[in-house]
Amino acid sequence: MQNEEKRKFFRRAVLAGAFAAAGVVLSVVSIPVGPTKCFPFQHTINVLAGAILGPWWAVGAAFTTSVVRNMMGTGSLFAFPGSMFGALFVGLAARALPEKYKFCAACAEPAGTGIVGAWVAAKILGPAIGKSVGFLFFSGSFLMSCVPGALIGAVLLCCLQKRMALTKTFGALI
């Protein structure tokens, strides 16, 4: 790796760690719904991480947050599909969008979490741990959490973009 590539890698790793840490710290705000714990700020962090860092770093931050939250007892196993797919979808959408429309990638968070994550939770994870709850239940509970979180993330991204416009590029964070 060249020096610039190492520097960029290190910046992304540190920022992904900061996003994961923020997710853990903000995990005190959760709403229990059946076997899940809805956590709107995780989805806000997914939007920010996906748009700023890209899909793979965002998934890594969401995974790390889910692991730590489960170890602390503030999360459930449903935190994994409930966060990682949203982060992935936001990152992929942000990659496909022009720079000035990155905040629109927040719309992909509910699709990743509320559809794909809910399907994984209902069809794979739930039966594996003995929780037989249907897709509609998971979809509803995940959407209750991810829609407000994605909206907060979109607003924060929009504010960041306006702030970063002074430095000419949104990618200046990394």
Side-chain angles (χ1 to χ4, degrees):
M1 262 190 213
Q2 305 246 2
N3 280 344
E4 186 58 35
E5 289 177 27
K6 285 182 184 179
R7 184 176 291 139
K8 198 171 193 177
F9 180 85
F10 182 72
R11 283 182 187 158
R12 287 183 177 188
V14 168
L15 196 50
F19 281 131
V24 172
V25 169
L26 292 171
S27 69
V28 296
V29 180
S30 69
I31 305 155
V33 179
T36 68
K37 292 181 183 177
C38 297
F39 176 47
F41 290 114
Q42 177 62 52
H43 307 289
T44 300
I45 292 167
N46 287 348
V47 169
L48 295 173
I52 294 170
L53 297 174
W56 311 119
W57 285 103
V59 169
F63 176 79
T64 303
T65 302
S66 296
V67 168
V68 175
R69 284 181 59 220
N70 273 278
M71 289 178 12
M72 290 175 48
T74 60
S76 69
L77 288 177
F78 299 107
F80 292 97
S83 65
M84 292 170 52
F85 289 105
L88 176 66
F89 276 46
V90 170
L92 293 172
R95 190 181 272 180
L97 290 167
E99 198 70 29
K100 70 180 187 175
Y101 296 114
K102 293 282 187 205
F103 70 94
C104 293
C107 295
E109 220 289 338
T113 299
I115 297 171
V116 178
W119 185 87
V120 170
K123 301 296 181 190
I124 298 172
L125 185 58
I129 63 170
K131 305 280 185 187
S132 59
V133 181
F135 168 77
L136 290 177
F137 172 81
F138 281 111
S139 184
S141 64
F142 284 4
L143 286 170
M144 282 188 340
S145 178
C146 73
V147 169
L151 287 173
I152 295 167
V155 168
L156 290 174
L157 267 181
C158 199
C159 293
L160 271 174
Q161 277 185 302
K162 288 179 182 177
R163 176 87 170 141
M164 296 307 291
L166 299 173
T167 62
K168 293 274 188 194
T169 177
F170 187 55
L173 285 175
I174 55 171

